[in-house]
Amino acid sequence: MDALRVRSLSGEGDEETSGSFVDLFRGCAPYIRAHLGAIMVIHMGGEVVEDPNFTSIMDDLGLLRLLGARLVIVTGARPQMSTLLQQAGIKEEFRDDLRVTSKEALKVIKAAAGFVRIEVESALSRGARGGAAGDFHVAGGNFFSAQPVGVRDGVDYGCTGEVRKVEADRIRAQLNEGGVVHLTCIGYSGSGEVFNVNSVDLAAKCAASVGASKLIYIADGYLEDATTGEIINSMRLSEARSLLSRYEKKKSNNGEAVAAGSGAGAMAAVDVEKDSPPAEVEMAGGVAADKEAAVGGGSAGDVHGVEQRLMRLTEKAVMALTQGVSRAHVVPPTSGALLQELYTRDGAGLLISRDMILVPRTPEQLEADINEFFVITRDETVLGVAFFKRYGQDHAEVGCLAIHRDYRKRGWGEAMLSYLERVALASSVKHLFVLSTVTMQWFVERGFRESQVSDLPPERRESYNWERMSKIYHKTLGGGVRAVDAEELLWDVRGMI
Ligand SMILES: CC(C)(COP(=O)(O)OP(=O)(O)OC[C@H]1O[C@@H](n2cnc3c(N)ncnc32)[C@H](O)[C@@H]1OP(=O)(O)O)[C@@H](O)C(=O)NCCC(=O)NCCS
């Protein structure tokens, strides 16, 4: 090397650096921050272990941990149990989707659960020791205690158990030390008896006990809007409850879970009150719209099974959300789906999130345009207020947004705004606008952009007060309810319920 030449790289390679990778990576940054230190309980059934995508799913879990999430993995082993029981010539017995476990069957079930444990822990260790996921330990053992289900409706469930207590402090201690906790469906009683516990239920109870921010089920199947054919990618708790009660009603009407047709196109319809007001929520404007949902996915001819499984997961998700878990997800067992679900706005699966408690005043209590006002109340105290007024097909104004002085900086303002964004989406409004003289920055930080009087709908332009000279901010609502959910996460809504 006789001579060195120095040259500037600026201006070179711009095309590569501004490519989709950089945009994508930058887009993930807010989600990485949001999930840093978050406890996530992730359930996978035994079928995931048999799936060709298993290795990549485990690698994704390792990456999640590397990105700062604290993971508890809960595994089931139903298909492995079925195979081993069949090989041993032992007949399987289920009642209402719960396995009846004889002493003889328990021996085989322990082997199936052990097999899944080894597969999962070895895959995690591969990531931990040599792979990209970094160095961490996997902790398993007696992190929960079990008790017998006993005799129900005359059926003796034998060695089938249920969760008695989750050792939340011990689990958190492991997570704080950088470990990943792994629970299987095998639980022990205080006197050393062994029980076969339903892992879907265990995951939900564990998430609630450890104060997880997420409960994630990795499972096949999805819900579709039966009218539009669109996949439903987010639901509120109230909508999930409504879905479940319709499913139960349908089941009891039919005498069994609904099965329809076969093949990939087969759907078992379940009504969902999409975007309807939850039990605790009454909306002054009333934007409830009945929609029908259908269940899809799974193997051909298995609509009944897919539907039953999705409803079971939804039921447990509802239980966990009711007990304080912020969000529940059902993510397909495909490579990268977990990462897409957690680090992108549109996700890859179904998100179920909690409701807010918004209650309207009665018409007697408010003035003539009561239907445009929304209030947040706790007991008899009004904590916040805002109006939502439509202009034509596409526009709506949010105004008078105010939170009680003693309750500010707790996320209530953001909660009210995101609620109104949902109201807007449910009524097909595309553009929200606000007029403000002092709170401009607050709206800008929540996705609004300054606009002009000429951008207002004609009717509102006419009533614009030129003396007051309020500034105008617009927000275009794209991406549907899921986008509102995603933004809410980034706003870090604290202790809303
Ligand atoms: C603006 C308002 C509704 C926000 O309600 P809130 O429940 O406190 O809001 P959130 O908890 O969701 O957000 C609080 C954050 O907004 C910030 N914020 C509050 N007022 C702000 C303003 N005028 N400009 C910029 N940021 C503001 C707070 O400092 C806080 O930030 P931090 O979390 O970094 O500390 C509330 O402050 C209020 O009622 N203000 C008086 C009425 C008003 O100006 N309404 C707007 C009419 S269009």
Side-chain angles (χ1 to χ4, degrees), residues 401-403 408-414 435 438-439 441-443 446 494:
L401 173 60
I403 301 297
R408 288 185 191 161
K409 294 197 175 198
R410 298 181 188 190
W412 290 105
E414 287 170 346
L435 272 66
V438 290
T439 322
Q441 192 55 30
W442 191 85
F443 286 107
R446 281 137 193 98
R494 289 139 281 176

Short mmCIF file of all heavy atoms in Angstrom, two decimals, residues 401-403 408-414 435 438-439 441-443 446 494, ligand 1:
data_model
loop_
_atom_site.label_atom_id
_atom_site.label_comp_id
_atom_site.label_asym_id
_atom_site.label_seq_id
_atom_site.Cartn_x
_atom_site.Cartn_y
_atom_site.Cartn_z
N LEU A 401 -62.18 19.23 24.93
CA LEU A 401 -61.52 18.12 25.64
C LEU A 401 -60.87 18.66 26.90
O LEU A 401 -59.97 19.51 26.84
CB LEU A 401 -60.46 17.48 24.72
CG LEU A 401 -59.56 16.41 25.36
CD1 LEU A 401 -60.39 15.24 25.89
CD2 LEU A 401 -58.54 15.90 24.36
N ALA A 402 -61.35 18.22 28.03
CA ALA A 402 -60.78 18.71 29.29
C ALA A 402 -60.83 17.59 30.33
O ALA A 402 -61.80 16.83 30.40
CB ALA A 402 -61.56 19.91 29.79
N ILE A 403 -59.76 17.49 31.08
CA ILE A 403 -59.68 16.48 32.14
C ILE A 403 -59.64 17.23 33.47
O ILE A 403 -58.98 18.27 33.60
CB ILE A 403 -58.41 15.61 31.96
CG1 ILE A 403 -58.41 14.90 30.59
CG2 ILE A 403 -58.24 14.60 33.09
CD1 ILE A 403 -59.53 13.92 30.36
N ARG A 408 -55.17 14.85 35.87
CA ARG A 408 -54.37 15.00 34.64
C ARG A 408 -53.08 14.19 34.72
O ARG A 408 -52.69 13.74 35.78
CB ARG A 408 -54.05 16.48 34.40
CG ARG A 408 -55.31 17.22 33.96
CD ARG A 408 -55.06 18.66 33.60
NE ARG A 408 -56.36 19.32 33.45
CZ ARG A 408 -56.55 20.62 33.49
NH1 ARG A 408 -55.53 21.43 33.66
NH2 ARG A 408 -57.76 21.12 33.35
N LYS A 409 -52.44 14.06 33.58
CA LYS A 409 -51.17 13.34 33.45
C LYS A 409 -51.27 11.88 33.85
O LYS A 409 -50.31 11.28 34.33
CB LYS A 409 -50.07 14.02 34.26
CG LYS A 409 -49.71 15.40 33.74
CD LYS A 409 -48.40 15.84 34.30
CE LYS A 409 -47.96 17.16 33.71
NZ LYS A 409 -46.56 17.41 33.90
N ARG A 410 -52.44 11.31 33.71
CA ARG A 410 -52.58 9.87 34.00
C ARG A 410 -53.02 9.12 32.75
O ARG A 410 -53.41 7.97 32.81
CB ARG A 410 -53.65 9.64 35.07
CG ARG A 410 -53.32 10.28 36.38
CD ARG A 410 -54.43 9.97 37.36
NE ARG A 410 -54.26 10.70 38.59
CZ ARG A 410 -54.96 10.47 39.67
NH1 ARG A 410 -55.87 9.51 39.67
NH2 ARG A 410 -54.77 11.18 40.75
N GLY A 411 -53.04 9.81 31.63
CA GLY A 411 -53.43 9.16 30.38
C GLY A 411 -54.91 9.27 30.05
O GLY A 411 -55.36 8.74 29.04
N TRP A 412 -55.68 9.97 30.87
CA TRP A 412 -57.12 10.05 30.61
C TRP A 412 -57.41 10.87 29.35
O TRP A 412 -58.31 10.53 28.58
CB TRP A 412 -57.86 10.67 31.80
CG TRP A 412 -57.91 9.79 33.00
CD1 TRP A 412 -57.17 9.93 34.14
CD2 TRP A 412 -58.71 8.62 33.19
NE1 TRP A 412 -57.47 8.93 35.02
CE2 TRP A 412 -58.41 8.12 34.47
CE3 TRP A 412 -59.65 7.96 32.40
CZ2 TRP A 412 -59.01 6.98 34.97
CZ3 TRP A 412 -60.26 6.83 32.92
CH2 TRP A 412 -59.93 6.34 34.19
N GLY A 413 -56.64 11.95 29.15
CA GLY A 413 -56.84 12.76 27.94
C GLY A 413 -56.62 11.92 26.70
O GLY A 413 -57.41 11.94 25.76
N GLU A 414 -55.53 11.16 26.71
CA GLU A 414 -55.22 10.29 25.57
C GLU A 414 -56.29 9.22 25.39
O GLU A 414 -56.68 8.88 24.28
CB GLU A 414 -53.86 9.62 25.80
CG GLU A 414 -52.73 10.60 25.61
CD GLU A 414 -51.39 10.05 26.05
OE1 GLU A 414 -51.37 9.02 26.74
OE2 GLU A 414 -50.39 10.68 25.72
N LEU A 435 -59.84 22.60 17.13
CA LEU A 435 -59.47 24.01 17.14
C LEU A 435 -58.93 24.29 18.53
O LEU A 435 -59.57 23.92 19.53
CB LEU A 435 -60.70 24.90 16.87
CG LEU A 435 -60.99 25.19 15.39
CD1 LEU A 435 -61.38 23.94 14.64
CD2 LEU A 435 -62.07 26.25 15.28
N VAL A 438 -54.32 26.90 23.00
CA VAL A 438 -53.18 26.66 23.91
C VAL A 438 -52.66 25.22 23.93
O VAL A 438 -51.58 24.97 24.44
CB VAL A 438 -53.54 27.05 25.38
CG1 VAL A 438 -53.64 28.54 25.52
CG2 VAL A 438 -54.81 26.36 25.83
N THR A 439 -53.43 24.29 23.40
CA THR A 439 -53.06 22.88 23.59
C THR A 439 -52.55 22.25 22.29
O THR A 439 -52.62 21.04 22.12
CB THR A 439 -54.28 22.09 24.13
OG1 THR A 439 -54.97 22.92 25.05
CG2 THR A 439 -53.88 20.83 24.86
N GLN A 441 -49.62 21.64 20.99
CA GLN A 441 -48.55 20.66 21.02
C GLN A 441 -49.06 19.27 21.44
O GLN A 441 -48.62 18.25 20.94
CB GLN A 441 -47.43 21.14 21.97
CG GLN A 441 -46.15 20.36 21.89
CD GLN A 441 -45.59 20.28 20.47
OE1 GLN A 441 -45.79 21.20 19.67
NE2 GLN A 441 -44.94 19.18 20.14
N TRP A 442 -49.99 19.30 22.38
CA TRP A 442 -50.56 18.03 22.88
C TRP A 442 -51.17 17.24 21.71
O TRP A 442 -50.97 16.03 21.59
CB TRP A 442 -51.62 18.34 23.95
CG TRP A 442 -52.06 17.14 24.72
CD1 TRP A 442 -51.46 16.59 25.81
CD2 TRP A 442 -53.21 16.32 24.43
NE1 TRP A 442 -52.15 15.49 26.24
CE2 TRP A 442 -53.23 15.30 25.42
CE3 TRP A 442 -54.20 16.35 23.47
CZ2 TRP A 442 -54.21 14.33 25.45
CZ3 TRP A 442 -55.19 15.37 23.50
CH2 TRP A 442 -55.19 14.37 24.49
N PHE A 443 -51.88 17.94 20.84
CA PHE A 443 -52.51 17.26 19.70
C PHE A 443 -51.46 16.85 18.66
O PHE A 443 -51.56 15.78 18.07
CB PHE A 443 -53.58 18.16 19.07
CG PHE A 443 -54.83 18.24 19.92
CD1 PHE A 443 -55.12 19.39 20.64
CD2 PHE A 443 -55.68 17.16 20.01
CE1 PHE A 443 -56.26 19.45 21.44
CE2 PHE A 443 -56.83 17.21 20.80
CZ PHE A 443 -57.12 18.37 21.52
N ARG A 446 -49.93 13.73 19.28
CA ARG A 446 -50.84 12.60 19.09
C ARG A 446 -51.30 12.47 17.63
O ARG A 446 -52.40 12.03 17.34
CB ARG A 446 -52.02 12.74 20.05
CG ARG A 446 -51.59 12.28 21.45
CD ARG A 446 -52.08 13.17 22.55
NE ARG A 446 -51.38 12.83 23.79
CZ ARG A 446 -50.32 13.50 24.26
NH1 ARG A 446 -49.83 14.53 23.60
NH2 ARG A 446 -49.75 13.12 25.39
N ARG A 494 -51.55 4.78 31.23
CA ARG A 494 -51.22 4.21 32.53
C ARG A 494 -52.44 3.92 33.40
O ARG A 494 -53.22 4.83 33.64
CB ARG A 494 -50.32 5.20 33.30
CG ARG A 494 -48.95 5.32 32.74
CD ARG A 494 -48.48 6.76 32.74
NE ARG A 494 -49.08 7.46 31.61
CZ ARG A 494 -48.94 8.76 31.37
NH1 ARG A 494 -48.29 9.51 32.18
NH2 ARG A 494 -49.50 9.31 30.31
C1 LIG B 1 -54.87 18.76 27.57
C2 LIG B 1 -55.51 17.83 28.57
C3 LIG B 1 -56.89 17.44 28.07
C4 LIG B 1 -54.64 16.58 28.69
O1 LIG B 1 -55.24 15.67 29.58
P1 LIG B 1 -54.37 14.63 30.45
O2 LIG B 1 -55.29 13.57 30.93
O3 LIG B 1 -53.55 15.32 31.44
O4 LIG B 1 -53.44 14.09 29.31
P2 LIG B 1 -52.53 12.83 29.33
O5 LIG B 1 -52.33 12.30 30.70
O6 LIG B 1 -53.08 11.92 28.33
O7 LIG B 1 -51.17 13.48 28.81
C5 LIG B 1 -50.42 14.25 29.69
C6 LIG B 1 -49.21 14.80 28.99
O8 LIG B 1 -49.63 15.91 28.17
C7 LIG B 1 -48.85 17.05 28.53
N1 LIG B 1 -49.64 18.24 28.31
C8 LIG B 1 -50.65 18.72 29.03
N2 LIG B 1 -51.08 19.89 28.51
C9 LIG B 1 -50.29 20.13 27.45
C10 LIG B 1 -50.22 21.19 26.51
N3 LIG B 1 -51.02 22.23 26.58
N4 LIG B 1 -49.30 21.11 25.55
C11 LIG B 1 -48.46 20.06 25.46
N5 LIG B 1 -48.47 19.03 26.34
C12 LIG B 1 -49.38 19.09 27.31
C13 LIG B 1 -48.52 16.83 29.98
O9 LIG B 1 -47.40 17.59 30.37
C14 LIG B 1 -48.24 15.35 30.02
O10 LIG B 1 -46.95 15.07 29.53
P3 LIG B 1 -45.99 14.06 30.35
O11 LIG B 1 -46.72 12.75 30.42
O12 LIG B 1 -44.76 14.03 29.50
O13 LIG B 1 -45.81 14.67 31.69
C15 LIG B 1 -55.61 18.45 29.99
O14 LIG B 1 -54.35 18.96 30.33
C16 LIG B 1 -56.62 19.57 30.12
O15 LIG B 1 -57.76 19.32 30.48
N6 LIG B 1 -56.22 20.81 29.84
C17 LIG B 1 -57.08 21.95 29.95
C18 LIG B 1 -58.13 21.99 28.87
C19 LIG B 1 -57.52 22.07 27.49
O16 LIG B 1 -56.58 22.82 27.23
N7 LIG B 1 -58.14 21.34 26.55
C20 LIG B 1 -57.84 21.35 25.14
C21 LIG B 1 -59.04 21.95 24.49
S1 LIG B 1 -58.98 21.78 22.79
#
